[in-house]
Amino acid sequence: MTPERHRASEPSGPSGPSGNPRPEAGDDVTAIAIAIATAIVIDTNIALDLLVFDDPCWAALRSALAAGELRWIATPPMRAELARVLGYPLIARRLLRDGRRPEAVLAAFDAGSRTIDSPPPRAPFVCKDADDQMFIDLAVARRARLLSKDRAVLSMRKRLATLGVAVAPSFG
């Protein structure tokens, strides 16, 4: 898909409130796929598991994303955080060992996620770890599922559930 097709804007734009693109008139296949696909927000550690470490425990998530059953939504700051983390020595050594470049990982992120350009409003609940707030804000704004292994995020499960956000450390 082209980058334009992966872009979504505010709910008042070409996408619905959950980040789903609005179907074209008469596009029944698109409408069905949109109704079935669920938006999901994936934190940086899990993105690394998917895109760098190829962790087999995320095979079901990888399959669901590839099949279009889930739509990974992200914001430019999430991509920027991934780009920054790819420079950490442990990650950089792993990429070098595997013969991969950070640019390729970012290209896979871009291809696998739908960018929400407009920053979501601040969620009513604030995370103790400020770096994780962007994931919470997007999940709350889009009523998306949130995958995170971060303790600070996981400790907010019950509060976020009251806002329609399911938080989980694993997929399945």
Side-chain angles (χ1 to χ4, degrees):
M1 283 191 201
T2 63
E4 293 79 31
R5 191 159 159 93
H6 269 304
R7 297 259 182 223
S9 60
E10 280 298 289
S12 61
S15 64
S18 66
N20 292 325
R22 296 180 197 271
E24 306 251 339
D27 193 351
D28 293 336
V29 173
T30 301
I32 291 168
I34 289 167
I36 293 171
T38 301
I40 192 163
V41 175
I42 299 172
D43 80 1
T44 304
N45 284 321
I46 295 173
L48 288 169
D49 287 346
L50 285 170
L51 303 173
V52 174
F53 297 113
D54 300 315
D55 188 331
C57 80
W58 297 103
L61 174 61
R62 191 174 289 110
S63 294
L65 289 166
E69 297 163 8
L70 295 174
R71 284 181 316 73
W72 180 0
I73 57 174
T75 60
M78 291 173 190
R79 186 185 191 279
E81 180 176 277
L82 177 62
R84 179 176 51 83
V85 170
L86 291 173
Y88 288 3
L90 174 71
I91 308 299
R93 282 193 301 273
R94 176 63 178 254
L95 290 173
L96 184 61
R97 186 193 85 187
D98 293 346
R100 291 161 57 186
R101 301 183 43 81
E103 296 81 12
V105 174
L106 292 171
F109 176 90
D110 293 340
S113 64
R114 173 179 300 274
T115 300
I116 308 296
D117 288 322
S118 301
R122 178 71 138 208
F125 301 119
V126 178
C127 186
K128 289 178 185 175
D129 183 345
D131 290 340
D132 292 320
Q133 190 65 43
M134 65 181 150
F135 301 101
I136 291 165
D137 293 342
L138 182 59
V140 168
R142 299 298 175 129
R143 299 296 187 266
R145 193 168 172 184
L146 173 56
L147 290 181
S148 177
K149 297 185 283 185
D150 188 279
R151 282 187 198 165
V153 174
L154 294 173
S155 73
M156 299 177 67
R157 276 190 214 181
K158 288 181 183 176
R159 287 177 283 163
L160 291 173
T162 66
L163 302 173
V165 175
V167 179
S170 62
F171 179 76

